[in-house]
Amino acid sequence: MTAKKKYIVWATWLLLYPIFIYFFIKNGLPIFLEEWHAILFFLSLVLFASRFPIRFRHANIVPLHGISLAIFLQFGLLIEMVVMQLAIIVTLLSLKLSRNEIYRLPINSIVFLLVSFVSGSVFYLMGGITGNFSEISIISMIFPIITYATVYFFLNNWFIFILRKYIVKLKGIKFFDEALAWEAVSAIMIIPIGISLVALYQEIGYLAVLLIGIPLVFLSLFLKLYNESERTGKLLKKVSAFGSEINENLSVNDICSLFVKKVKSIFDVNYVYVFDTLKDGKLQAIEMYTTNNQNNIGLLSGDNISINVSQTGESVLYTEAKQWKPFVNKEHFPHAHSIMSVPSVRNNEIVGVITIVANKKRAFEKSHLMILQIMANYIAVAAQNARNYEKTKKDSERCALTNLFNFRYFENRLLEKYDVPEKDDQFAIILLDLDHFKKINDNYGHQSGNDILCQVAHLLQESVGTSGVLARYGGEEFVVLLEGDTAQYAEDMAETLRQNIESQLFKVSDDLNSGDGKLVRITASIGVATKLENDETGMSVLRNADRAMYTGAKQQGRNKVAYY
């Protein structure tokens, strides 16, 4: 909510509240002073009930609505308004609202004032009477009571809808939804509670508060525990689905991105940090997310909370900023309150840390810590599997000597893209063979031959760059795939490669004689072929390049570029 809207809320509250206090002192204070002990009992029950709402499906069934109905019927509108105002103030103050959240106090106060006033006024207009309920026929009061409860319910939900949609600007908010339907059911269930409470109070006095209140509280506690277990079960299903998703052949980056996405769908977070534990025990951030595009450079090596979790292996949960601010740089998590940080464990070894942060107070619960721990362990195993997969894949695609792609990779690339070529596919292949390479091995040893192959590979990488796919064809042969380029470009590239090799001095060690270092020159014979026919495959173009190299370059004196 913007600062301007907060000022308007406070101004409205300061305008309405003195008027309410004036009418209460004038008309309600005598009743309050006369019945203060009974009102205090009812207030205690309201406060207790407000701490334990019954969550069923999508609705919060709050027994205090039934208790407030009983207070209204027994003591009248002004007393009901005072009790609800006191309940709101005590409840919100117990939440220890931050400075940015304190506006919730006047907003809720205004809403309950208006809801109580309008509902009570409609009740009186319908012929309803409050006071000594035992002297009034319950049957004659049913219609006004139902009208009161209906107006109270719809008005309360309508005000909440207006505030959330147009004041707080939440998206996707609807008035008529499944949650409203279940709350309507709960409102109907609450009416008998209110009537029973006031009727019983007339008969046995304060004991009625205990007889009605204690069962309600225990029922609330039981259903609260049930609801928490149900919500935890739903979260575990999401976590299980996450475990299945990351077991696919994903890269480490993809796994971390999926993890952040899943965390955002489960928790209300403003920051997510995924840290890897290095060999020296330090942390390194491999994935970071913030809602405000904050500069995260200062957190690349972790924050004090994450570092401590990495060292101790103990998960931590903070619900308010004052719990962690003494030992954490405030600039790391501005405006934050709730923090969860858990170690990522694989084979009883801490391999990383997951830290999530929310700007809200009490955004996380103890059960959330367990959920995050499970997810952290999932990601630890999945990331290691991904690294092993990437290493195996790289080893199968790369030449161990030159680190270039090997022929298996190059051949698969041709088969995948050009085994059934499209009409508009344009590509060229350059096949290169080092001249008289056997003499290098015979004169200086095979290790020197390997050294030259590595130097040639490096030279070709610098020359080709990102314009083509370079691979070691086998032995002293190299091959380049140029995709989408013209025949002229391929010929120019081939000539450039030939000249670069010819002009380069290569370092070798004379292992067969003195062992001294020497500089030698070598040349290369090169064949170039391009796709000439619409249905020509990649392997046929490769064979044409091979023919061009042998018949047009090798057999014509070597150190040449031949074109098919």
Side-chain angles (χ1 to χ4, degrees):
M1 181 182 288
T2 63
K4 183 179 179 180
K5 291 178 180 177
K6 290 178 182 178
Y7 288 137
I8 293 174
V9 168
W10 279 106
T12 305
W13 185 73
L14 291 173
L15 180 64
L16 291 177
Y17 223 69
I19 299 174
F20 162 66
I21 293 174
Y22 169 77
F23 277 100
F24 169 71
I25 293 175
K26 186 176 180 180
N27 301 295
L29 188 58
I31 300 174
F32 186 86
L33 293 176
E34 182 181 350
E35 301 282 351
W36 68 268
H37 46 290
I39 295 171
L40 186 61
F41 263 86
F42 278 97
L43 175 61
S44 300
L45 185 57
V46 168
L47 292 174
F48 213 79
S50 65
R51 300 293 294 174
F52 303 102
I54 303 171
R55 181 74 177 175
F56 182 74
R57 294 290 182 94
H58 303 284
N60 279 322
I61 305 174
V62 187
L64 69 87
H65 291 169
I67 302 169
S68 69
L69 173 61
I71 296 171
F72 171 74
L73 294 175
Q74 178 63 36
F75 302 107
L77 175 61
L78 287 174
I79 300 300
E80 186 271 342
M81 293 174 74
V82 167
V83 170
M84 295 309 296
Q85 290 296 307
L86 290 174
I88 291 166
I89 293 172
V90 173
T91 300
L92 290 179
L93 289 179
S94 69
L95 296 178
K96 299 178 181 178
L97 300 175
S98 65
R99 182 177 299 177
N100 292 329
E101 297 175 320
I102 197 67
Y103 71 90
R104 291 171 56 186
L105 180 60
I107 276 188
N108 281 276
S109 177
I110 293 170
V111 168
F112 273 88
L113 277 176
L114 294 176
V115 169
S116 294
F117 177 76
V118 174
S119 303
S121 299
V122 171
F123 174 84
Y124 291 128
L125 288 174
M126 297 299 297
I129 301 173
T130 57
N132 193 347
F133 198 66
S134 61
E135 298 177 0
I136 304 171
S137 171
I138 293 179
I139 296 177
S140 65
M141 293 289 292
I142 288 298
F143 185 68
I145 290 174
I146 292 176
T147 304
Y148 170 86
T150 303
V151 173
Y152 195 104
F153 167 75
F154 278 104
L155 200 59
N156 183 56
N157 280 278
W158 184 76
F159 274 127
I160 293 173
F161 169 75
I162 293 298
L163 289 172
R164 297 177 69 191
K165 186 173 181 67
Y166 298 105
I167 306 300
V168 185
K169 298 289 187 181
L170 295 178
K171 296 181 178 179
I173 301 298
K174 296 181 180 179
F175 182 71
F176 292 102
D177 55 14
E178 187 179 358
L180 183 69
W182 280 106
E183 288 190 31
V185 173
S186 74
I188 295 172
M189 294 168 58
I190 287 303
I191 294 175
I193 294 177
I195 296 174
S196 301
L197 180 57
V198 71
L200 195 59
Y201 175 76
Q202 290 290 331
E203 295 295 328
I204 61 175
Y206 305 139
L207 187 60
V209 177
L210 297 177
L211 292 177
I212 296 291
I214 291 177
L216 275 177
V217 170
F218 276 101
L219 178 63
S220 298
L221 286 171
F222 174 77
L223 291 178
K224 183 179 180 182
L225 293 173
Y226 171 78
N227 177 63
E228 288 179 354
S229 66
E230 188 179 51
R231 284 190 290 120
T232 301
K234 291 179 180 179
L235 291 178
L236 287 173
K237 286 183 179 179
K238 289 186 177 182
V239 172
S240 178
F242 168 71
S244 301
E245 291 177 45
I246 62 172
N247 281 330
E248 298 176 1
N249 292 331
L250 300 176
S251 66
V252 174
N253 289 338
D254 290 339
I255 289 172
C256 291
S257 297
L258 180 61
F259 173 79
V260 170
K261 182 179 179 181
K262 187 64 68 173
V263 165
K264 287 163 56 182
S265 71
I266 294 177
F267 306 107
D268 184 7
V269 295
N270 297 95
Y271 309 83
V272 180
Y273 298 96
V274 180
F275 296 104
D276 207 7
T277 302
L278 304 179
K279 291 182 179 179
D280 59 2
K282 294 182 178 180
L283 296 181
Q284 180 183 49
I286 57 176
E287 187 74 21
M288 295 186 289
Y289 161 80
T290 64
T291 54
N292 56 1
N293 297 319
Q294 178 190 346
N295 188 335
N296 293 307
I297 293 178
L299 285 171
L300 291 177
S301 299
D303 58 277
N304 288 347
I305 293 176
S306 302
I307 292 172
N308 183 63
V309 169
S310 174
Q311 293 172 348
T312 63
E314 296 292 332
S315 302
V316 295
L317 168 63
Y318 300 111
T319 57
E320 297 184 42
K322 66 180 182 181
Q323 297 173 335
W324 53 263
K325 277 191 175 179
F327 48 91
V328 175
N329 188 338
K330 295 180 180 179
E331 295 180 357
H332 287 168
F333 308 124
H335 313 300
H337 280 283
S338 303
I339 296 179
M340 277 200 302
S341 186
V342 300
S344 188
V345 181
R346 186 186 70 250
N347 296 331
N348 296 321
E349 180 183 356
I350 299 173
V351 295
V353 173
I354 307 298
T355 300
I356 65 175
V357 185
N359 290 343
K360 293 181 180 179
K361 289 183 178 180
R362 292 171 290 279
F364 310 130
E365 304 170 5
K366 289 184 179 180
S367 60
H368 293 164
L369 201 63
M370 176 192 68
I371 297 297
L372 189 63
Q373 183 66 74
I374 295 172
M375 296 180 70
N377 292 341
Y378 273 155
I379 197 175
V381 175
Q384 185 58 42
N385 291 341
R387 290 188 178 101
N388 292 337
Y389 173 78
E390 289 169 1
K391 183 179 184 301
T392 302
K393 187 173 182 289
K394 179 182 177 181
D395 292 344
S396 68
E397 294 177 344
R398 295 281 178 173
C399 166
L401 177 64
T402 63
N403 202 36
L404 297 180
F405 288 118
N406 56 28
F407 180 68
R408 177 191 296 175
Y409 172 85
F410 191 85
E411 182 181 40
N412 289 337
R413 180 73 172 260
L414 290 181
L415 292 174
E416 288 174 6
K417 297 198 67 174
Y418 303 115
D419 190 41
V420 184
E422 299 290 336
K423 179 179 179 180
D424 297 331
D425 285 340
Q426 293 296 324
F427 62 94
I429 294 177
I430 300 173
L431 190 60
L432 178 153
D433 184 82
L434 301 181
D435 296 328
H436 303 297
F437 188 75
K438 185 175 182 301
K439 290 182 179 180
I440 298 294
N441 289 331
D442 292 342
N443 293 335
Y444 303 108
H446 285 85
Q447 184 56 49
S448 293
N450 288 342
D451 292 341
I452 286 184
L453 289 175
C454 292
Q455 293 174 65
V456 170
H458 181 70
L459 179 63
L460 294 176
Q461 281 181 309
E462 290 186 334
S463 302
V464 175
T466 59
S467 59
V469 179
L470 173 64
R472 185 181 177 192
Y473 190 79
E476 62 270 21
E477 293 178 316
F478 299 86
V479 63
V480 181
L481 171 63
L482 301 174
E483 298 178 288
D485 294 312
T486 63
Q488 185 61 52
Y489 180 84
E491 293 171 5
D492 294 342
M493 172 65 77
E495 181 59 29
T496 298
L497 297 179
R498 188 197 67 77
Q499 291 177 9
N500 289 348
I501 293 173
E502 181 184 33
S503 62
Q504 179 73 29
L505 288 172
F506 296 93
K507 297 178 182 179
V508 297
S509 176
D510 189 3
D511 294 334
L512 300 184
N513 297 301
S514 63
D516 296 334
K518 292 188 176 183
L519 298 175
V520 299
R521 292 184 183 275
I522 58 174
T523 60
S525 297
I526 302 176
V528 181
T530 59
K531 177 188 172 187
L532 299 176
E533 304 293 337
N534 290 336
D535 60 348
E536 195 167 14
T537 65
M539 295 305 293
S540 64
V541 175
L542 178 61
R543 284 191 288 270
N544 292 338
D546 192 37
R547 293 190 189 97
M549 181 190 69
Y550 275 102
T551 60
K554 286 286 188 185
Q555 295 177 7
Q556 299 300 320
R558 294 182 171 83
N559 193 24
K560 297 179 182 297
V561 176
Y563 315 104
Y564 182 84

